[in-house]
Amino acid sequence: MLFKGFLCILILLAGAGAGLLKAKTFDNRVYHLQELITTLNVLESEMKYRMDPLPDLLLRVSRVKDGISAAMLSTAGRLSKIHASHDFSDCWKEAVETAYQESALNKEDIMIITDLGIELGKTDLENQAGMFRRTVSLLEAQAAEAAEEKRIKGKMYKSLGTAVGALIVILLL
């Protein structure tokens, strides 16, 4: 009887844990988008006030920031230094794909980030500032959508996990 009670509690906790784990992906997407927006704002500021070459600028900002966005900038900076003859947009795209392949960001989020690299470093500062504003506003819209998704679906998955665990316990009894 004690074993059966312990097993029921364990199943209930496993269901709740599975629901929390699934809900965490929604938290992660919001966090990654907000982190990226902050990093892009820092990068834009550095571009305005320092006239360094783009690879050096990316590497410097990556040392100041933390997280996946810093890893992306670091990779883009290193790749553009190593492959100086390649187009920067190819280096940027590879860095985005490498950094965000295991993240909670969806394809649309990654496409927005990738599109920034197409013109980055090819135009004057005023046009690049416009590109950053456009990208940041698109990412803010994605972050608002992700926060709403987190609020609705996160709560649903938490409840669903617990309910499935309870259902299995009821079926076992």
Side-chain angles (χ1 to χ4, degrees):
M1 186 69 177
L2 182 64
F3 178 72
K4 196 172 186 179
F6 179 71
L7 184 63
C8 289
I9 291 172
L10 190 63
I11 290 171
L12 190 61
L13 290 175
L20 286 172
L21 222 86
K22 181 62 179 171
K24 185 71 175 160
T25 61
F26 297 105
D27 291 341
N28 288 342
R29 181 172 177 230
V30 172
Y31 174 78
H32 290 311
L33 285 170
Q34 290 171 342
E35 174 200 27
L36 183 62
I37 290 167
T38 303
T39 301
L40 290 179
N41 286 331
V42 170
L43 180 62
E44 180 186 12
S45 296
E46 288 286 319
M47 278 184 139
K48 284 181 184 176
Y49 300 111
R50 296 183 181 247
M51 298 295 187
D52 293 343
L54 190 56
D56 295 337
L57 187 67
L58 294 173
L59 291 171
R60 184 176 46 256
V61 172
S62 73
R63 287 190 294 270
V64 174
K65 298 298 292 176
D66 289 327
I68 295 177
S69 59
M72 176 196 65
L73 294 181
S74 175
T75 303
R78 279 187 285 106
L79 287 174
S80 60
K81 277 190 169 202
I82 293 169
H83 306 295
S85 62
H86 286 83
D87 189 31
F88 176 76
S89 63
D90 293 336
C91 296
W92 180 266
K93 183 177 181 179
E94 185 177 335
V96 169
E97 289 172 354
T98 302
Y100 288 103
Q101 72 183 12
E102 296 293 323
S103 75
L105 298 185
N106 64 24
K107 289 180 183 181
E108 192 175 340
D109 302 334
I110 292 174
M111 182 66 81
I112 292 169
I113 303 165
T114 303
D115 286 348
L116 176 64
I118 294 172
E119 294 297 321
L120 195 61
K122 294 182 181 176
T123 60
D124 64 344
L125 287 176
E126 188 176 314
N127 287 333
Q128 287 188 26
M131 289 179 352
F132 275 107
R133 279 192 304 272
R134 177 185 173 276
T135 302
V136 166
S137 71
L138 289 171
L139 289 174
E140 285 172 344
Q142 291 293 101
E145 175 191 310
E148 182 66 16
E149 204 172 69
K150 170 189 163 186
R151 188 181 69 76
I152 294 170
K153 290 185 179 177
K155 192 175 189 180
M156 178 191 69
Y157 278 111
K158 289 175 187 174
S159 300
L160 188 63
T162 305
V164 167
L167 178 67
I168 293 171
V169 167
I170 289 170
L171 291 174
L172 286 176
L173 294 178

